[in-house]
């Protein structure tokens, strides 16, 4: 009489648990030690999708194509002797879809800055599987540690504008677990805000005083200058 089968092990031997559309994956199911022949059945959400008989101690290999949302979720396998009741179930493996990220957008609440000012930059990809990792650059040099966002929200950094060299072109990049899918943002430049000279308010005040004197003199002509002129005739 065959010995009791131990619980089989379900192992991913090709592909990843984070899958993209039309991806092939291969699962291995083996109950070891066990006396062959053994029948292995693969289940998805408790629904049988494939079965293989093994007359030796090699694992049963199940190759799947993840082609729709219904193909992701929990998989298990069952090992049993032929013509016997019961059987043992394996551990479960869960597949999830991953979505490529969209091109991130780099922005700031202000486009103008002056030396000595604090500013912020935000980087955001609207689409893509979480988490998403962001990295900020000025030119080709990264200017902050990478920020990994677990929620659908922008990564934000603060900058101190210390010199004219801080007015270069800024960019950010984003990536997630989707393979070979790093995306770079648009370029963003701060423009130098014009600083008013300290002498400008004084010049404006003197100009207004002079203008008022001219207007006052013009108004005084009919009352003082003309009567004096007539009196001298």
């Amino acid at each position: 009489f065959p010995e009791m089968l131990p619980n089989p092990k379900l192992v991913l031997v090709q592909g990843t648990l984070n899958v993209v559309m039309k991806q092939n994956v291969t699962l291995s199911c083996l109950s070891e030690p066990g006396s062959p022949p053994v029948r292995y059945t693969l289940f998805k959400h408790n629904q049988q999708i494939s079965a293989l008989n093994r007359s030796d101690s090699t694992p049963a290999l199940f190759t799947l194509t993840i082609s729709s949302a219904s193909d992701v979720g929990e998989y298990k396998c069952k090992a049993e002797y032929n013509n016997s009741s019961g059987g043992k179930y394996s551990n479960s493996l869960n597949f999830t879809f991953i979505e490529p990220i969209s091109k991130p957008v780099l922005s700031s609440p202000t486009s103008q800055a002056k030396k000595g000012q604090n500013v912020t930059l935000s980087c955001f990809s609207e689409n893509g599987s979480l988490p998403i990792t962001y990295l900020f650059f000025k030119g080709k040099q990264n200017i902050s540690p990478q920020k990994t966002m677990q929620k659908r929200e922008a990564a934000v950094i603060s900058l101190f504008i210390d010199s004219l060299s801080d007015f270069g072109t800024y960019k950010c990049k984003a990536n997630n677990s989707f393979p070979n899918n790093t995306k770079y943002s648009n370029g963003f430049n701060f423009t130098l805000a014009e600083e008013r000279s300290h002498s400008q308010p004084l010049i404006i005040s003197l100009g207004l005083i002079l203008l008022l004197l001219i207007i006052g003199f013009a108004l005084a002509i009919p009352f003082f200058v003309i009567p004096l002129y007539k009196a001298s005739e």
Side-chain angles (χ1 to χ4, degrees), residues 194-206:
E194 293 184 3
E195 297 186 15
R196 291 185 176 179
S197 171
H198 293 297
S199 62
Q200 283 182 340
L202 179 60
I203 293 173
I204 293 172
S205 299
L206 292 174

Side-chain angles (χ1 to χ4, degrees), residues 115-202:
K115 289 190 290 184
Q117 180 178 346
N118 287 308
V119 294
T120 60
L121 283 171
S122 65
C123 185
F124 180 65
S125 283
E126 187 174 355
N127 299 310
S129 301
L130 297 170
I132 298 177
T133 298
Y134 296 96
L135 192 61
F136 292 82
F137 296 87
K138 187 175 79 67
K140 295 183 179 180
Q141 181 179 5
N142 63 298
I143 56 174
S144 71
Q146 66 180 20
K147 292 179 174 289
T148 300
M149 311 305 292
Q150 303 291 340
K151 297 181 180 180
R152 187 74 60 189
E153 57 189 16
V156 180
I157 63 167
S158 295
L159 301 172
F160 180 70
I161 303 299
D162 188 43
S163 65
L164 291 177
S165 63
D166 295 323
F167 288 90
T169 300
Y170 292 85
K171 285 189 175 183
C172 67
K173 73 174 183 179
N175 57 59
N176 62 0
S177 55
F178 195 97
N180 303 317
N181 188 233
T182 296
K183 295 286 182 67
Y184 287 84
S185 73
N186 54 293
F188 186 91
N189 289 75
F190 292 103
T191 58
L192 180 62
E194 293 184 3
E195 297 186 15
R196 291 185 176 179
S197 171
H198 293 297
S199 62
Q200 283 182 340
L202 179 60

Side-chain angles (χ1 to χ4, degrees), residues 10 17 74-77 90-94:
L10 186 63
L17 292 177
E74 183 185 66
Y75 284 79
K76 285 185 178 183
C77 72
S90 72
N91 55 295
S92 63
L93 293 178
N94 281 276

Side-chain angles (χ1 to χ4, degrees), residues 8-10 27-30 38-44 46-54 60-62 75-82 86-91:
K9 291 184 179 180
L10 186 63
L27 301 176
S28 167
C29 186
L30 178 62
V38 178
R39 180 176 177 83
Y40 294 99
T41 306
L42 185 67
F43 293 87
K44 175 175 60 85
N46 298 319
Q47 179 182 0
Q48 178 179 331
I49 59 173
S50 185
L52 293 172
N53 291 314
R54 281 289 176 263
L61 298 178
F62 301 96
Y75 284 79
K76 285 185 178 183
C77 72
K78 178 183 178 183
E80 59 187 333
Y81 289 120
N82 290 332
K88 295 294 183 66
Y89 286 89
S90 72
N91 55 295

